[in-house]
Amino acid sequence: NHVNPAMDFTQTPPGMLALDNMLYFAKHHQDAYIRIVLENSSREDKHECPFGRSSIELTKMLCEILKVGELPSETCNDFHPMFFTHDRSFEEFFCICIQLLNKTWKEMRATSEDFNKARKRVMQVVKEQIMRALTTKPSSLDQFKSKLQNLSYTEILKIRQSERMNQEDFQSRPILELKEKIQPEILELIKQQRLNRLVEGTCFRKLNSRRRQDKFWYCRLSPNHKVLHYGDLEESPQGEVPHDSLQDKLPVADIKAVVTGKDCPHMKEKGALKQNKEVLELAFSILYDSSGQLNFIAPDKHEYCVWTDGLNALLGKDMLSDLTRNDLDTLLSMEIKLRLLDLENIQIPDAPPPIPKEPSNYDFVYDCN
């Protein structure tokens, strides 16, 4: 805004933070600031990278990347140690990135004639450069800077091309048909693994609203998958608990439904459990007969997924947990890659090869040099 430049900083984010960043860069990195200004003033008008407008856009983008201005998230696991190595880390972060922006603008031969179009293209590349450098979790700002030096515009184009080719390979029609054919086999494999884990059984903790001394109980599926055996324990067991020591039984045929989270009867009761979000995410219940229920609180998210998947499989329903989705993606990807290997004229045995006999002596070493 040539009439009133203060209007440029009314939108938040970035607000006045953009101006603070520009001022910090000019004061603390004077040589780099002068170089950028002189470079752009000596370029043709149409190739000039407007410092003010670029700084405002960059600050806004950095706020988005680092979620500046948003409430802290309890579920977010991102941690960037480099921001704890400098008293003015955000400003230093900006100083590195504004130089990167100027360099990328130059490499892309962007023009300021249609700033909005050019800005969009350049900003997309700059954001990708920053995000890729951040995923390596650099321990210092200098390390972050050196990571960016290896991520030029040309390198980004190469990475994009490589990723696109890999994606196209796996999105072609023959591959999709092969995936469709293999998927039922993989799902059956996952189902068997879940049921095997239910046969091994799990120790569950009994929680009450008064938080008295911990009590435990154990539940496991019979080997023929027809009965759930369960019972109380005095203490947490070491290893599996045999069926005959578990006093109660529930025939799988009597199970009417499996419910999770807020739908569980023990989560609807008044008390501290209802307010505990972690417990809520691990809760599931088996409903049987007219009003019978078996209430669980899994020891962790993995066991929760295993049990809810296994119980749904027993009832002939789909396994919908995140664990199943991840397992399916991993196993399907591995199977596809194995089937696409060039194995012409190579006989693959149906049975694994026998384990060789032990050597007559062990008088041998591996020379690692």
Side-chain angles (χ1 to χ4, degrees):
N1 191 316
H2 298 295
V3 180
N4 184 3
M7 298 300 291
D8 293 335
F9 304 100
T10 53
Q11 186 189 358
T12 52
M16 293 296 285
L17 181 58
L19 185 59
D20 286 344
N21 283 338
M22 290 160 70
L23 189 61
Y24 182 90
F25 181 53
K27 279 185 174 179
H28 295 84
H29 297 271
Q30 207 169 43
D31 291 346
Y33 169 70
I34 291 169
R35 191 182 71 249
I36 286 177
V37 172
L38 289 177
E39 258 184 28
N40 286 298
S41 61
S42 61
R43 284 182 199 166
E44 293 177 57
D45 283 349
K46 66 176 186 177
H47 286 295
E48 178 197 356
C49 174
F51 176 70
R53 292 167 85 179
S54 300
S55 297
I56 293 167
E57 286 297 325
L58 178 64
T59 305
K60 186 179 176 183
M61 186 177 77
L62 297 182
C63 288
E64 285 172 12
I65 292 172
L66 298 177
K67 297 180 171 50
V68 174
E70 292 182 26
L71 290 171
S73 167
E74 291 177 11
T75 54
C76 185
N77 294 319
D78 284 343
F79 174 71
H80 299 290
M82 71 176 191
F83 289 107
F84 296 89
T85 60
H86 199 285
D87 289 342
R88 304 290 294 274
S89 55
F90 187 81
E91 289 89 341
E92 287 291 328
F93 184 49
F94 168 84
C95 294
I96 294 168
C97 295
I98 192 67
Q99 294 175 72
L100 169 74
L101 171 59
N102 188 61
K103 177 171 167 273
T104 305
W105 181 284
K106 199 163 45 175
E107 288 172 351
M108 291 178 72
R109 299 187 62 76
T111 63
S112 57
E113 284 179 328
D114 187 349
F115 180 77
N116 287 333
K117 270 188 184 176
R119 179 203 68 193
K120 199 171 179 183
R121 285 192 304 113
V122 176
M123 283 297 178
Q124 279 176 344
V125 175
V126 171
K127 186 174 185 178
E128 192 173 338
Q129 289 169 314
I130 294 168
M131 293 294 283
R132 286 185 184 277
L134 283 177
T135 52
T136 63
K137 300 282 188 249
S139 57
S140 66
L141 288 158
D142 287 337
Q143 206 176 5
F144 172 69
K145 196 173 180 178
S146 65
K147 296 276 182 195
L148 288 177
Q149 285 170 354
N150 299 325
L151 287 168
S152 63
Y153 174 53
T154 315
E155 188 60 31
I156 290 292
L157 287 180
K158 283 181 189 172
I159 293 168
R160 282 179 177 179
Q161 178 68 17
S162 169
E163 287 176 353
R164 198 180 298 118
M165 283 174 68
N166 288 337
Q167 199 174 5
E168 282 169 4
D169 285 348
F170 280 91
Q171 294 304 317
S172 61
R173 192 176 168 186
I175 298 294
L176 291 174
E177 286 176 3
L178 182 59
K179 269 187 179 180
E180 209 172 304
K181 187 181 173 186
I182 295 170
Q183 190 160 317
E185 298 173 28
I186 303 292
L187 281 170
E188 184 59 31
L189 184 69
I190 294 169
K191 176 184 168 182
Q192 289 306 318
Q193 188 273 341
R194 301 292 190 265
L195 293 175
N196 289 342
R197 278 289 296 107
L198 264 61
V199 170
E200 288 174 20
T202 302
C203 176
F204 296 94
R205 196 183 294 270
K206 277 190 172 183
L207 286 178
N208 56 42
S209 55
R210 293 180 186 175
R211 304 280 174 163
R212 285 182 182 167
Q213 191 176 2
D214 288 342
K215 290 185 178 179
F216 301 93
W217 67 291
Y218 200 88
C219 186
R220 63 182 297 180
L221 181 65
S222 62
N224 62 6
H225 301 172
K226 290 187 177 179
V227 180
L228 281 171
H229 297 264
Y230 61 97
D232 292 343
L233 300 173
E234 291 297 322
E235 56 184 5
S236 181
Q238 301 297 319
E240 290 181 25
V241 176
H243 293 103
D244 47 19
S245 65
L246 300 170
Q247 53 274 41
D248 299 304
K249 292 180 184 179
L250 171 62
V252 172
D254 291 351
I255 298 175
K256 299 286 185 273
V258 175
V259 293
T260 59
K262 291 178 182 176
D263 297 325
C264 297
H266 58 317
M267 291 294 112
K268 291 177 181 177
E269 296 167 6
K270 290 181 180 177
L273 287 183
K274 194 175 179 183
Q275 275 72 42
N276 192 329
K277 191 182 173 186
E278 285 179 22
V279 171
L280 196 66
E281 288 175 352
L282 300 175
F284 62 98
S285 298
I286 294 174
L287 308 182
Y288 60 94
D289 295 339
S290 56
S291 59
Q293 63 197 46
L294 197 57
N295 298 321
F296 298 77
I297 293 167
D300 53 50
K301 192 69 179 174
H302 183 271
E303 286 297 313
Y304 169 84
C305 292
V306 166
W307 272 85
T308 50
D309 281 343
L311 292 170
N312 280 324
L314 282 174
L315 299 178
K317 295 181 179 179
D318 292 336
M319 300 178 290
L320 302 171
S321 74
D322 292 341
L323 185 63
T324 291
R325 203 159 41 245
N326 292 338
D327 286 351
L328 181 63
D329 287 346
T330 304
L331 293 170
L332 204 53
S333 173
M334 283 170 61
E335 187 67 22
I336 292 281
K337 286 173 182 174
L338 281 171
R339 294 199 184 198
L340 293 177
L341 285 173
D342 186 9
L343 297 174
E344 196 176 347
N345 299 324
I346 297 174
Q347 291 295 319
I348 300 176
D350 294 328
I355 298 170
K357 291 179 181 177
E358 287 193 24
S360 55
N361 65 67
Y362 290 88
D363 298 336
F364 52 85
V365 292
Y366 288 101
D367 187 1
C368 298
N369 298 322

